[in-house]
Amino acid sequence: MTTRREFLATAAAPLVAAPQTAPPKRLAAVVTEYRHNSHADVIVGKYLDGYRQNGQPPRPRSRIVSMYTDQVPKNDMSRAKAKEHNIPIYPTIWETLTLGGADRLAVDGVLFIGEHGNYPYNEKGQHLYPRYKLFLEITDVFRGTGKSVPVYSDKHLSYSWYQAKRMVEISRELKFPMMAGSSIPVAYRPEGVDLEWGAKAKHAVSIFYADPDAYGFHLLEGLQCMVERRQGGETGVAAVQYIEKQAMWDWVAQTPWAEKLLNAALAKGVTRKPGDIRQLGKEDYAFRVWYRDGLEAAAFMTNGIAQDAATAVEVEGRAEPVATLMWLEEGPPFQHFACLVMAIEKMFETGRPPYPVERTLLTSGVLEAVLNSKFEGGKRLETPYLSVRYTAPRKGFFCTEKL
């Protein structure tokens, strides 16, 4: 286990800025909608108004210079914020990235936030955000102008594994740095704990709360950002299963490692309710994940028990699990999104994402497979196509202090 002292000496956060002689990066923001407390608000808003969104420093060096909004709800903030900061809003993504429709890419990076908005759901409960469609429009500009720039894509890449996989393939084809994912892996960890790089992980459990689609991604990313550091690196996921209610608790009772790690994760939280967790969580559910290298994990939605993000990993040779809280600020300015913006800034400043986009690719595919399992009545589903291989960086990236 990495100690807090060791982590503070090596961690990538806080951001190491580029030389001040270099001009700030010019960013285009492409969002589905921009309203109060939407992801556009808490990400783009930190570029406009500082990490605390109070008009005061600290703030990112990069600057938003153009914006595209796919939808404009009644409680839209984009027009007022754009006017306040003298930022043009364009009717097309082409114009947003070229600053008016010329044949020259005129920005240094793209903030792509395809979260929130009035879009349909399918029969599996997936919110059908047009992330793939909008991403293709962004990359059409790259193709048309003959130039590409780094792209950050918020949360999971797509509700479809095939679309998510194609997005990563396009980034490689056009040779631009791509970062994706949510605020959970980079959120403040009070004890500075990370899984030791190269550890022999045996089992793992993560906890989160809310719905299986939008928040199920957070749950799985909290798991993935820890277990990807295990010995041998990431080799992908062999099978998944959705399990709920009494069947879930029966499985926990029969599985010592799951019970031990669930209790270890819950012990790191700050919102656990008093009482018997089986009674409190009688309506809760979990995602079982079998990794290709033999690691077995479970991700629990503990809606009735606690509303925390935490992960616990059983490591060979250690008596106690390696466990950590990923602290989420309940209200504005939502520090965990400031931690995410710091990570995004690192990519825009250096041209190198602080962690591989394959983390988000794999997690996107696992989430879709889990929702397929749920739709099919909790059937275990084999996922040979999720053979995503990558190596996590030795130095993790997450906030080590409160802002």
Side-chain angles (χ1 to χ4, degrees), residues 54-339:
N54 60 0
Q56 302 297 318
R59 64 186 309 129
R61 289 191 68 241
S62 301
R63 295 290 178 262
I64 306 292
V65 297
S66 62
M67 195 182 305
Y68 169 84
T69 59
D70 196 53
Q71 295 184 348
V72 185
K74 291 181 179 179
N75 57 347
D76 173 70
M77 292 175 60
S78 66
R79 272 59 187 165
K81 296 304 290 186
K83 182 177 181 181
E84 177 186 351
H85 292 275
N86 195 29
I87 297 170
I89 296 179
Y90 292 101
T92 68
I93 289 176
W94 182 281
E95 292 168 285
T96 304
L97 272 60
T98 61
L99 300 187
D103 293 330
R104 181 179 63 85
L105 187 64
V107 296
D108 303 309
V110 179
L111 274 174
F112 174 34
I113 305 169
E115 182 78 1
H116 298 126
N118 184 21
Y119 300 98
Y121 289 82
N122 66 12
E123 69 279 6
K124 294 182 290 186
Q126 293 176 292
H127 206 162
L128 304 181
Y129 292 118
R131 292 172 180 149
Y132 183 60
K133 173 181 177 293
L134 298 179
F135 180 83
L136 291 181
E137 292 188 41
I138 291 167
T139 54
D140 279 349
V141 181
F142 295 171
R143 295 180 191 278
T145 61
K147 181 182 178 182
S148 58
V149 293
V151 174
Y152 165 70
S153 180
D154 187 41
K155 286 193 67 180
H156 42 310
L157 292 165
S158 172
Y159 56 85
S160 159
W161 161 252
Y162 299 103
Q163 292 181 3
K165 184 171 179 284
R166 183 61 188 139
M167 290 167 74
V168 173
E169 289 171 348
I170 290 171
S171 73
R172 292 171 180 157
E173 176 190 341
L174 299 182
K175 297 182 171 64
F176 62 86
M178 186 174 177
M179 174 184 164
S182 78
S183 59
I184 302 301
V186 298
Y188 168 58
R189 301 183 192 178
E191 297 173 314
V193 170
D194 205 358
L195 185 68
E196 182 180 359
W197 196 87
K200 296 181 180 179
K202 297 173 66 178
H203 301 100
V205 158
S206 64
I207 62 171
F208 202 60
Y209 59 95
D211 72 277
D213 181 29
Y215 286 79
F217 178 77
H218 292 305
L219 173 67
L220 288 168
E221 235 193 359
L223 171 69
Q224 188 60 32
C225 72
M226 292 281 281
V227 302
E228 68 185 10
R229 299 175 57 80
R230 68 192 183 276
Q231 186 179 67
E234 186 54 70
T235 59
V237 167
V240 304
Q241 183 182 25
Y242 174 91
I243 187 170
E244 65 177 15
K245 301 179 182 178
Q246 190 58 46
M248 179 189 78
W249 290 115
D250 289 345
W251 173 74
V252 170
Q254 298 163 11
T255 312
W257 66 261
E259 185 166 30
K260 180 179 180 179
L261 294 179
L262 175 58
N263 286 329
L266 287 169
K268 290 297 178 181
V270 294
T271 68
R272 180 172 173 175
K273 300 174 185 176
D276 180 3
I277 61 173
R278 286 165 174 77
Q279 286 300 312
L280 293 169
K282 61 184 179 181
E283 299 296 320
D284 289 348
Y285 53 93
F287 307 158
R288 296 185 62 188
V289 183
W290 290 267
Y291 287 85
R292 289 167 56 86
D293 63 358
L295 175 68
E296 188 173 347
F300 291 85
M301 281 295 201
T302 56
N303 290 323
I305 307 166
Q307 296 193 341
D308 293 301
T311 300
V313 183
E314 181 184 13
V315 177
E316 186 176 317
R318 290 183 55 88
E320 297 300 323
V322 177
T324 185
L325 174 72
M326 300 164 187
W327 180 74
L328 308 179
E329 188 171 21
E330 293 183 359
F334 300 106
Q335 173 179 302
H336 44 292
F337 280 99
C339 299

